[in-house]
Amino acid sequence: MDDRGSFRRFCGFSGSEPTPERTAFVRFRKALVAHGLDKTLFDEITGQLKAKAIQVKAGTLGRCDDHRLGQ
């Protein structure tokens, strides 16, 4: 995460704050899967992103304007 400014901003870290090391995310993901919570978490995140008109495509984040959604 230290080398990707977009990831830092998305997770709420400033440029000077330390971030969790890479394996922390892998361990978290494995724990979610082991407890059957991965789908629940990502369904909730997807719902919140849709509610704010944010689309996730091929590893990118972007806010959609109403005119692009056909509204």
Side-chain angles (χ1 to χ4, degrees):
M1 184 180 302
D2 284 333
D3 62 336
R4 297 290 302 267
S6 59
F7 290 170
R8 293 180 68 84
R9 286 188 303 276
F10 179 78
C11 293
F13 291 103
S14 73
S16 60
E17 282 182 282
T19 59
E21 49 106 6
R22 172 172 286 217
T23 61
F25 295 103
V26 174
R27 289 191 313 269
F28 180 66
R29 181 178 158 272
K30 286 182 179 181
L32 286 173
V33 171
H35 294 344
L37 297 172
D38 53 321
K39 183 171 177 2
T40 303
L41 175 65
F42 287 104
D43 286 349
E44 177 63 27
I45 291 169
T46 300
Q48 289 186 28
L49 291 172
K50 283 182 180 181
K52 294 181 179 195
I54 298 172
Q55 289 183 329
V56 180
K57 294 191 235 177
T60 63
L61 282 176
R63 181 174 298 277
C64 295
D65 296 271
D66 288 344
H67 72 276
R68 289 177 43 205
L69 294 173
Q71 297 177 349

